[in-house]
Amino acid sequence: MLDNRPTLPPEIARRRTFAIIAHPDAGKTTLTEKFLLFGGAIQMAGQVRAKGEARRTRSDFIKMEQDRGISVSASAMSFDYREFRFNLVDTPGHSDFSEDTYRTLTAVDAAIMVIDGAKGVESQTRKLFEVCRLRDLPILTFCNKMDREARDTFEIIDEIQENLAIDVAPASWPIGSGREFLGCYDILNDRLELMDRADRNRVAETIEIKGLDDPKLAQHVPAGMLAQLREELEMARELLPAFDRKAFLEGHMTPIWFGSAINSFGVKELMDGIGNYGPEPQPQPTASRKVAPEETPVTGVVFKVQANMDPKHRDRVAFIRLASGHFERGMKLLHVRSKKPMAVSNPVLFLAADRELAEEAWAGDIIGIPNHGQLRIGDALTEGEDLRFTGIPSFAPELLRGVRAADPMKAKHLEKALMQFAEEGAAKVFKPMIGSGFIVGVVGALQFDVLASRIEQEYALPVRFEASQFTSARWVAGPKAEMDKFLNVNKGHIAHDHDGDVVYLTRLQWDIDRIQRDYPELKLTATKEMLA
């Protein structure tokens, strides 16, 4: 985010890679759909809860997402808007999937935080915001659902400032709310935007005005509301900071837009904001140095693996954020973890579940590489340099359960399915040293339902999860002699994860404290960084 960075090649400079974060039901997926609509990527936006023949959303493509109306896996989409190329990553808002979201945020340069005008800052928003804070990501805020009864504008802004300890600069100001909601006054460009309630896929009409005293205002806004707007804006200019791009890029300030995503209102202004003010592709951290986007050699990092995006083919797609260079189809790249070259002959760009073959991609883009399990989360691809990208975490699960196939003859199939999900990062799979079977660990209970539903859908294997005697897991590392001593004594508590690392399964926090006391040289950790 520094000013003394060299200017980027124009193709790279026009890239904007960002994620959308929000509490469940704040309208994240709907906003994503409208982005695609205005980017010309789809002709008619789908609805999360589509009735009859109305279009389904593009970004919820797993069957369970469509049935329950929630997003459970992060999907990536690329499209052009004005002179920019947007790479948008829709993240799951469901708290049980926060790990997937966390990893996604390591692959983007900025985030859009969607909040519900009636509810303000909610628990999940706060959690996700903390993650952005750790990475100093610039954040743009969109206050959604202004066409329903919403809270006082100042109250919402106050809540963001107090809860999230960040300065808020209004980029637009709502005129009325709920049934009375007319539109917004665009502060950055001195324009009046009126909402058209009739056609949800139409872009709102914009009226150019010169400041708040322009007589044209009175033709469109009733006198009472106009007086209130002038008064509120005067207070806002006194009390709230003006938008400052430098503070925004450093992560100290967030501009806020007001609108209603389902009515396509306020979305275009938000997109203009990302294009005009959002960060260009940023340098990515590795263990040895920072990789700058303008470097010529191609480098990239896998931040997510999605299995079976196309249920007809047992395929697995690794989502890769390009950190530098100009990638072309058919290039040979070095897979750093295995030290083997990989010819990337069929990379794909995503429009949610539709994929197009990518002929080329630039730093900042997100591409998918279909593979049969060679690529894992955290893997680096380079043109020969030995790089290890840092900062992609793996969390210790909070819930552990045993898993069995309803048909005991299918145990082998179950193992294959579980390994696939472990590599995708959808769950942790532990193989205990003693006894048969597997223990599956997840961050939230809903993940068990998703796993059971996906194993049945994708592998035709009914499974059941059973209570496990263990409640938490810690990764163990330390000198070999000490490890061997520890393993011999605690065989009943030891398992290995899908990478073969040693995991200590326990029932009580007391066990963890005891191990740390008895084996001071060993380290028990609740997160593991996914290094290639």
Side-chain angles (χ1 to χ4, degrees):
M1 306 286 167
L2 304 172
D3 296 338
N4 55 7
R5 294 269 327 282
T7 43
L8 296 175
E11 263 307 320
I12 296 180
R14 75 185 195 96
R15 300 289 193 263
R16 297 283 181 273
T17 305
F18 57 94
I20 297 189
I21 60 173
H23 193 82
D25 280 344
K28 210 169 47 259
T29 304
T30 309
L31 183 64
T32 306
E33 292 290 306
K34 298 298 178 178
F35 272 23
L36 296 179
L37 174 75
F38 289 148
I42 54 179
Q43 261 47 66
M44 185 179 151
Q47 289 169 20
V48 176
R49 304 192 176 283
K51 294 189 182 78
E53 286 301 291
R55 280 282 308 276
R56 284 252 167 226
T57 56
R58 287 314 261 277
S59 50
D60 283 354
F61 61 84
I62 294 181
K63 184 172 186 308
M64 181 168 167
E65 295 183 315
Q66 293 173 349
D67 295 348
R68 292 202 183 185
I70 55 173
S71 307
V72 294
S73 87
S75 66
M77 288 156 262
S78 303
F79 56 95
D80 285 320
Y81 174 72
R82 286 177 31 203
E83 68 271 28
F84 303 108
R85 160 54 70 90
F86 282 180
N87 296 310
L88 175 154
V89 187
D90 185 20
T91 60
H94 238 273
S95 59
D96 295 356
F97 298 92
S98 54
E99 192 173 356
D100 201 7
T101 311
Y102 200 117
R103 288 196 211 115
T104 301
L105 290 173
T106 59
V108 295
D109 301 312
I112 292 177
M113 175 167 74
V114 184
I115 58 177
D116 182 329
K119 296 180 184 150
V121 178
E122 297 171 87
S123 57
Q124 193 58 26
T125 324
R126 206 168 290 132
K127 243 162 109 184
L128 291 167
F129 184 83
E130 284 309 311
V131 178
C132 297
R133 188 36 77 71
L134 284 174
R135 309 206 55 233
D136 280 334
L137 281 180
I139 293 172
L140 303 99
T141 306
F142 183 71
C143 183
N144 194 14
K145 305 195 178 180
M146 292 306 291
D147 58 322
R148 302 191 188 172
E149 289 311 318
R151 286 163 48 182
D152 177 64
T153 314
F154 283 106
E155 217 178 288
I156 293 170
I157 292 178
D158 263 1
E159 187 172 310
I160 298 173
Q161 288 188 332
E162 277 180 25
N163 275 316
L164 308 177
I166 189 169
D167 288 334
V168 180
S172 70
W173 198 265
I175 305 171
S177 80
R179 292 225 169 119
E180 308 271 274
F181 183 61
L182 286 183
C184 281
Y185 182 75
D186 180 343
I187 296 175
L188 297 177
N189 305 310
D190 263 337
R191 282 194 308 223
L192 180 67
E193 272 130 19
L194 299 177
M195 183 169 95
D196 177 12
R197 283 177 184 265
D199 182 355
R200 287 185 157 177
N201 282 327
R202 244 191 64 201
V203 185
E205 74 176 296
T206 312
I207 296 152
E208 294 277 347
I209 52 172
K210 297 182 177 51
L212 279 173
D213 304 324
D214 193 317
K216 263 199 280 184
L217 265 174
Q219 298 167 17
H220 299 283
V221 181
M225 288 170 102
L226 184 56
Q228 189 189 353
L229 172 71
R230 286 182 174 144
E231 185 188 335
E232 284 183 357
L233 274 174
E234 199 166 313
M235 278 169 68
R237 289 196 168 133
E238 290 294 313
L239 300 172
L240 298 169
F243 177 65
D244 168 5
R245 186 172 183 216
K246 187 168 175 291
F248 157 64
L249 290 179
E250 286 168 358
H252 305 315
M253 171 185 277
T254 173
I256 182 167
W257 280 264
F258 293 85
S260 156
I262 199 155
N263 290 308
S264 306
F265 182 75
V267 179
K268 193 165 158 301
E269 289 67 41
L270 176 63
M271 292 172 80
D272 287 337
I274 301 163
N276 299 338
Y277 308 114
E280 302 171 334
Q282 295 299 309
Q284 299 294 314
T286 69
S288 47
R289 63 188 190 85
K290 279 201 159 180
V291 176
E294 67 274 10
E295 292 175 23
T296 357
V298 172
T299 60
V301 59
V302 179
F303 67 93
K304 171 186 164 64
V305 176
Q306 176 76 48
N308 308 334
M309 277 178 77
D310 184 345
K312 296 187 208 60
H313 303 284
R314 283 266 169 272
D315 69 339
R316 203 177 290 201
V317 175
F319 285 72
I320 287 176
R321 152 81 196 230
L322 290 180
S324 67
H326 174 204
F327 168 85
E328 286 171 336
R329 188 157 83 107
M331 271 181 122
K332 269 201 166 49
L333 294 176
L334 172 74
H335 179 221
V336 176
R337 182 167 51 88
S338 66
K339 308 268 184 291
K340 287 190 182 133
M342 252 182 104
V344 186
S345 48
N346 50 356
V348 284
L349 281 174
F350 297 95
L351 185 91
D354 297 349
R355 322 175 187 177
E356 297 173 11
L357 266 189
E359 290 300 330
E360 56 168 11
W362 297 78
D365 278 342
I366 289 170
I367 57 169
I369 298 185
N371 66 92
H372 292 293
Q374 304 93 313
L375 291 173
R376 292 190 188 167
I377 294 171
D379 281 2
L381 291 174
T382 68
E383 286 197 43
E385 190 182 349
D386 185 355
L387 284 179
R388 287 188 164 74
F389 287 89
T390 54
I392 298 186
S394 172
F395 297 100
E398 292 163 27
L399 298 168
L400 299 171
R401 288 195 194 161
V403 58
R404 290 196 188 288
D407 174 357
M409 303 302 287
K410 294 261 174 84
K412 211 66 202 142
H413 292 113
L414 177 64
E415 180 171 351
K416 188 179 166 211
L418 290 175
M419 283 306 155
Q420 180 123 338
F421 289 122
E423 282 172 21
E424 191 180 304
K428 300 286 173 293
V429 175
F430 303 126
K431 179 97 179 85
M433 266 176 90
I434 293 176
S436 64
F438 287 91
I439 289 178
V440 176
V442 297
V443 179
L446 182 67
Q447 270 174 287
F448 286 124
D449 296 354
V450 174
L451 278 177
S453 141
R454 283 188 60 188
I455 292 174
E456 196 161 333
Q457 286 282 320
E458 295 165 20
Y459 292 89
L461 257 187
V463 293
R464 59 172 191 272
F465 290 103
E466 310 166 337
S468 155
Q469 52 168 341
F470 301 115
T471 54
S472 59
R474 293 289 181 271
W475 281 279
V476 188
K480 191 172 180 336
E482 189 93 339
M483 279 290 273
D484 292 345
K485 197 167 86 180
F486 165 72
L487 294 179
N488 280 332
V489 180
N490 296 292
K491 279 197 174 130
H493 284 257
I494 301 295
H496 292 89
D497 68 6
H498 73 284
D499 292 327
D501 293 334
V502 174
V503 176
Y504 176 68
L505 301 173
T506 146
R507 278 184 286 271
L508 306 162
Q509 178 62 38
W510 183 83
D511 283 339
I512 298 174
D513 298 340
R514 180 180 60 88
I515 300 287
Q516 284 173 328
R517 202 175 55 241
D518 294 355
Y519 301 94
E521 290 185 28
L522 292 185
K523 259 175 67 184
L524 274 74
T525 53
T527 57
K528 172 174 96 165
E529 211 167 82
M530 295 190 159
L531 283 178

